[in-house]
Amino acid sequence: MTAGAQRRMLNEVNKHPRVSAKDLQKSLAHANIFVDTSTIRKTSNKKGVHGRTPRRKPLLSKKNIAAHLKFAKEHLDVPQHYWQNILWTDEKI
């Protein structure tokens, strides 16, 4: 790939991070740059752009939603100074 084609490809990836190699191949073909999808993947890996799928967060089940609501209702009238001594953590991380 030429340096110009690499810049064009990286700009496209920066604009649309979830674009596939096949879609990049099509968009480069519109600009009269014909490369194989494996070449696109190799070039992007060399430039530090790796094709990875982001981790999905688990959705709340009906049981968890009910538990959250129950907790909120039970602690609705607790004074503000009570909550200042609570250490909050996020278990989804």
Side-chain angles (χ1 to χ4, degrees):
M1 281 182 86
T2 64
Q6 288 179 8
R7 278 194 308 275
R8 186 180 191 99
M9 182 193 69
L10 290 174
N11 285 337
E12 186 75 25
V13 170
N14 288 333
K15 286 182 198 171
H16 308 287
R18 292 181 179 252
V19 70
S20 68
K22 214 164 209 17
D23 292 337
L24 275 174
Q25 183 184 32
K26 290 176 186 175
S27 69
L28 290 173
H30 288 297
N32 292 327
I33 302 169
F34 300 100
V35 291
D36 193 50
T37 54
S38 63
T39 306
I40 291 172
R41 283 189 211 98
K42 288 176 190 175
T43 305
S44 61
N45 284 339
K46 285 181 185 176
K47 297 294 182 179
V49 180
H50 302 284
R52 296 189 179 104
T53 306
R55 183 177 61 164
R56 292 180 184 254
K57 285 190 170 182
L59 299 175
L60 291 174
S61 66
K62 290 182 180 183
K63 178 180 152 186
N64 288 342
I65 292 170
H68 284 209
L69 185 60
K70 179 183 172 198
F71 177 85
K73 286 182 178 179
E74 287 174 357
H75 294 86
L76 190 60
D77 297 325
V78 175
Q80 180 67 30
H81 63 84
Y82 172 80
W83 298 110
Q84 292 173 352
N85 294 324
I86 305 294
L87 176 64
W88 296 98
T89 62
D90 185 7
E91 295 178 0
K92 286 187 182 180
I93 296 176

